[in-house]
Amino acid sequence: MRRLQVKSSAGNYDVKVGCGAWGALRKLKGYTSTFVLTEPGLWAQWGTKFAEDTGWSGVRPILVPSGETSKSLTMAGRVAAELLNRGADRRSLLVALGGGVVGDLGGFVASTYMRGIDYVQAPTTVLAQVDSSIGGKTAVNIHAMKNLIGTFSPPRMVLSEPAVLASLPPRAFQSGIYEAVKHAILAGPALFGWLEGKVAGLTPGQTPVLETLVARAAQVKVDVVSRDEREAGLRRVLNLGHTYGHALEEATGYRRFLHGEAVAWGMLMVTRLAELSGVLDSRVGSRIVRLVRAVGPLPALRGLKEEKVLGLLIRDKKAVGGKIHWVLPEGIGKVRVTPDVTDAAVASAFRDVQRGVWND
Ligand SMILES: NC(=O)c1ccc[n+]([C@@H]2O[C@H](COP(=O)([O-])OP(=O)(O)OC[C@H]3O[C@@H](n4cnc5c(N)ncnc54)[C@H](O)[C@@H]3O)[C@@H](O)[C@H]2O)c1
Ligand SMILES: [Zn+2]
């Protein structure tokens, strides 16, 4: 078991990564009652293991349908009503067992139910284990506006069981691995080089490798959010690849790409943008491209209109005062956050990657 520690103004908390991680719930005492929020399919597959590992026999989870549409105020209201019906009070504990959707929804409900109760993240996707479960950001969507309403509210702990990843469909699995690649670009040559040796042919059932991968990639997020809990500045680096990525997701109505896949394309584009802006050596750029490409196939960019995608860039939530803060890789382990890139370079980077005329 690996133990990482997140520093937070509301109290430090542990991220435990390893087989049997859920067992840490056995030691959490002092709650009047405990609840689990999860999805039906996930519970059918992993509920028995969860009950065994935690000793919570007979636990009856609160279930929400899988999928992004569950991250809604309506669903948050339903979960809160269910908690109330079952007698949850201010000293109850909620465990969010699932991917980023269950984690964001569960965290949001926990941080607002009776003005806030404790919650534990038990992430079950690669994305959730390396990224969304750490840092205390919770949210629901309003119509198409992702994460419009949310809170900063750290969990009591994060328990990442790598064995649970075995049931992930290949695309969902790879989508999370792209976020791990992002963390490796931010972290430096040690993690990047290690991933270069592991990523090709990696499958969801390779539990020991995944335990190391999750722990090392999660450490990057832990370090960033421990230094910048409320996204005052440094935390922006986590947005690497996301400016183009969000635009790609939006331009395709969130249907063509999984989030990590859009981010993967976004990382390729921003790598090209960094080269065109003269801040990245093309040999290092090629290394980034190779690692992203090694994860697996990406849905094509075919038919995407340049004007549409570029028009969506500025609407990114992370834009400050109408300026996009680009996160440009300058090397492995070094990024520059800057609004100073030319529109022409932004357009060329998109075009070059779409047409595959660069590094493909
Ligand atoms: N809070 C944050 O800091 C933060 C950061 C990044 C992303 N997010 C949010 O995370 C969400 C995306 O998370 P996600 O990619 O985990 O999506 P998700 O929660 O929808 O999970 C993806 C799919 O995998 C299924 N699934 C989950 N675990 C499984 C398992 N072990 N085996 C088989 N199937 C499983 C789910 O049912 C779902 O269909 C988005 O809503 C995004 O906004 C939040
Ligand atoms: Zn992301």
Side-chain angles (χ1 to χ4, degrees):
M1 192 73 55
R2 296 151 199 256
R3 178 176 158 266
L4 324 177
Q5 202 187 36
V6 184
K7 290 203 187 68
S8 160
S9 54
N12 299 350
Y13 59 94
D14 283 351
V15 178
K16 294 197 167 134
V17 184
C19 292
W22 296 335
L25 287 172
R26 287 173 183 271
K27 296 198 205 94
L28 273 190
K29 300 272 189 260
Y31 293 103
T32 51
S33 51
T34 49
F35 298 89
V36 178
L37 179 72
T38 189
E39 297 170 355
L42 210 49
W43 190 251
Q45 205 144 18
W46 296 101
T48 307
K49 177 178 166 58
F50 182 85
E52 276 171 15
D53 290 2
T54 57
W56 294 8
S57 55
V59 57
R60 204 163 47 87
I62 299 173
L63 298 173
V64 292
S66 82
E68 188 70 29
T69 47
S70 278
K71 257 178 70 174
S72 69
L73 269 183
T74 310
M75 199 57 77
R78 272 189 217 158
V79 175
E82 188 60 24
L83 283 170
L84 187 66
N85 281 341
R86 296 191 189 191
D89 63 24
R90 296 185 71 170
R91 285 196 296 121
S92 296
L93 174 78
L94 180 66
V95 178
L97 174 69
V101 165
V102 166
D104 278 13
L105 174 69
F108 180 75
V109 172
S111 68
T112 49
Y113 182 78
M114 296 189 173
R115 301 210 166 76
I117 62 172
D118 278 3
Y119 74 104
V120 167
Q121 291 281 14
T124 63
T125 62
V126 178
L127 178 134
Q129 294 193 352
V130 305
D131 189 353
S132 64
S133 66
I134 303 160
K137 279 213 240 173
T138 84
V140 293
N141 309 326
I142 302 290
H143 305 302
M145 268 316 274
K146 292 239 327 163
N147 306 325
L148 188 65
I149 295 189
T151 59
F152 277 106
S153 174
R156 179 82 166 63
M157 54 171 68
V158 180
L159 304 175
S160 289
E161 165 60 75
V164 79
L165 305 175
S167 56
L168 281 173
R171 268 185 80 189
F173 174 72
Q174 283 164 10
S175 178
I177 299 291
Y178 292 117
E179 297 276 6
V181 169
K182 179 193 81 177
H183 288 185
I185 298 171
L186 297 174
L191 180 54
F192 194 93
W194 182 84
L195 261 189
E196 283 178 319
K198 299 287 178 207
V199 132
L202 189 63
T203 59
Q206 290 173 327
T207 305
V209 181
L210 289 172
E211 176 173 337
T212 308
L213 183 151
V214 166
R216 293 186 73 168
Q219 182 70 56
V220 180
K221 175 109 185 214
V222 166
D223 290 344
V224 172
V225 301
S226 292
R227 286 160 64 199
D228 177 18
E229 195 177 5
R230 298 226 161 202
E231 205 156 326
L234 175 70
R235 198 162 169 164
R236 281 205 198 113
V237 301
L238 296 169
N239 218 29
L240 179 75
H242 282 61
T243 308
Y244 282 113
H246 287 148
L248 293 172
E249 285 182 290
E250 229 182 306
T252 50
Y254 291 88
R255 279 189 291 270
R256 190 186 302 187
F257 307 106
L258 297 181
H259 173 70
E261 293 170 341
V263 170
W265 280 123
M267 287 191 288
L268 297 179
M269 289 169 190
V270 91
T271 298
R272 179 61 174 150
L273 179 60
E275 284 180 14
L276 291 170
S277 307
V279 303
L280 178 69
D281 184 282
S282 65
R283 277 166 304 188
V284 183
S286 304
R287 227 179 129 192
I288 295 176
V289 173
R290 272 200 303 278
L291 183 57
V292 171
R293 288 299 199 181
V295 175
L298 286 169
L301 295 173
R302 200 178 37 243
L304 274 173
K305 293 262 181 315
E306 184 181 321
E307 313 79 69
K308 183 166 181 187
V309 174
L310 299 183
L312 288 167
L313 287 174
I314 195 67
R315 287 184 42 204
D316 194 76
K317 234 188 351 328
K318 303 274 159 74
V320 182
K323 277 205 165 206
I324 299 171
H325 282 76
W326 290 96
V327 185
L328 302 179
E330 290 185 300
I332 309 295
K334 193 156 184 272
V335 293
R336 169 192 301 215
V337 182
T338 176
D340 296 324
V341 298
T342 66
D343 291 349
V346 170
S348 295
F350 171 79
R351 215 176 302 135
D352 291 353
V353 174
Q354 185 183 38
R355 291 185 191 160
V357 295
W358 158 80
N359 246 322
D360 236 2

